[in-house]
Amino acid sequence: MSFSDYLDDFIKQRDQKGTAAPSSNRAAFRQQQAVADATSQSIAREALAKSQEDAFTRSSIETKEDHYRVNGRCVTQDEAQAIAQLRVQPKPVNTDRIAYIKQLRKELHLKKRS
């Protein structure tokens, strides 16, 4: 018996049983599950895609807005206002403290390291 005869015989027997290959059944079953019930991974993938789309639209809008330089950074007007509000006002100069620091420097400079 040749290989082609054996193959024809095998195909006939498989067709008579009426079942398809088990691997194709598994693949079809997996596809049905994936379509029927959304898994947490597919939900996460969709959320990631949506966030990327939102970021793209936000970036395209922001590139068309006016930008300002703040400390070497280009920022939009809203960001510049937020930075200005968060900026801490400097304390007034305390002359006694400055004199004390100068005195300490002078004393440290006069001391020789042994």
Side-chain angles (χ1 to χ4, degrees), residues 56-68 75-77:
F56 175 73
T57 54
R58 201 176 326 113
S59 66
S60 63
I61 291 169
E62 286 178 356
T63 54
K64 295 173 186 165
E65 290 181 5
D66 292 334
H67 285 72
Y68 304 96
V75 294
T76 61
Q77 184 177 2

Side-chain angles (χ1 to χ4, degrees), residues 21-35:
S23 62
S24 64
N25 281 343
R26 286 185 199 142
F29 182 69
R30 285 183 186 154
Q31 285 179 344
Q32 288 173 355
Q33 279 185 336
V35 172

Side-chain angles (χ1 to χ4, degrees), residues 11-111:
I11 293 171
K12 285 179 187 175
Q13 287 177 1
R14 188 187 66 191
D15 291 342
Q16 286 174 358
K17 289 181 182 178
T19 59
S23 62
S24 64
N25 281 343
R26 286 185 199 142
F29 182 69
R30 285 183 186 154
Q31 285 179 344
Q32 288 173 355
Q33 279 185 336
V35 172
D37 184 28
T39 61
S40 59
Q41 187 178 12
S42 63
I43 292 171
R45 234 185 266 121
E46 290 173 6
L48 182 63
K50 184 172 177 4
S51 66
Q52 286 176 342
E53 288 177 15
D54 293 345
F56 175 73
T57 54
R58 201 176 326 113
S59 66
S60 63
I61 291 169
E62 286 178 356
T63 54
K64 295 173 186 165
E65 290 181 5
D66 292 334
H67 285 72
Y68 304 96
R69 276 217 179 268
V70 176
N71 295 332
R73 278 184 58 221
C74 286
V75 294
T76 61
Q77 184 177 2
D78 297 336
E79 290 173 329
Q81 288 174 352
I83 290 171
Q85 288 176 351
L86 293 174
R87 185 170 288 135
V88 178
Q89 294 295 327
K91 293 181 179 179
V93 177
N94 187 349
T95 54
D96 295 334
R97 184 163 186 244
I98 292 174
Y100 177 69
I101 292 171
K102 284 183 180 179
Q103 180 64 31
L104 285 176
R105 282 185 182 166
K106 198 182 286 184
E107 288 176 5
L108 288 173
H109 185 67
L110 291 176
K111 287 184 182 177

